[in-house]
Amino acid sequence: MSAQSVSAAFPVADMAAAVRFMSAVLGAEPTFVDGERWAQFDVNGGRLALAGTDREGDSASVMVKVVDLAAALAPLREGGFTVGEEVEGPHEVRVRVTGPDGWAAVLYQPRS
């Protein structure tokens, strides 16, 4: 597997309030907002995301963009890690993988 990009995603209960807060913290407006589902900020090559109603859990996670989701998941399954079910979002297909300390990585493949 070769990650194309990584970003941190933080779950939020109130997207509008979270976007206002993060905009003030970063001094930047979001580069993408999808209603109450998702918002992201791209700053100097880094990405921070806010996960609203379309989140993969109630704790922060690492989002990993991949070209081939099935190929990326194979070594994780072989390694005995907890690999969740595929979730089809409007922009991507994603799978939550839980690490040994309980925190998650969400691998995703954008839709064509």
Side-chain angles (χ1 to χ4, degrees):
M1 170 188 67
S2 182
Q4 288 189 306
S5 64
V6 296
S7 59
F10 297 90
V12 300
D14 181 336
M15 184 60 74
V19 165
R20 279 193 313 275
F21 171 72
M22 198 51 62
S23 293
V25 167
L26 298 175
E29 292 300 311
T31 52
F32 178 78
V33 177
D34 188 0
E36 290 295 314
R37 296 180 66 253
W38 188 264
Q40 62 194 42
F41 295 81
D42 295 304
V43 179
N44 293 327
R47 175 172 288 165
L48 182 138
L50 304 174
T53 58
D54 196 26
R55 62 179 173 244
E56 286 297 316
D58 292 325
S59 60
S61 61
V62 175
M63 302 294 294
V64 181
K65 181 180 179 181
V66 299
V67 173
D68 184 337
L69 186 58
L73 292 172
L76 294 163
R77 286 190 174 103
E78 291 168 10
F81 296 104
T82 303
V83 177
E85 298 295 319
E86 280 191 10
V87 174
E88 300 221 7
H91 309 285
E92 80 296 327
V93 177
R94 62 187 184 269
V95 175
R96 181 182 177 93
V97 181
T98 305
D101 291 313
W103 55 269
V106 177
L107 281 66
Y108 72 98
Q109 178 179 333
R111 291 185 182 273
S112 304

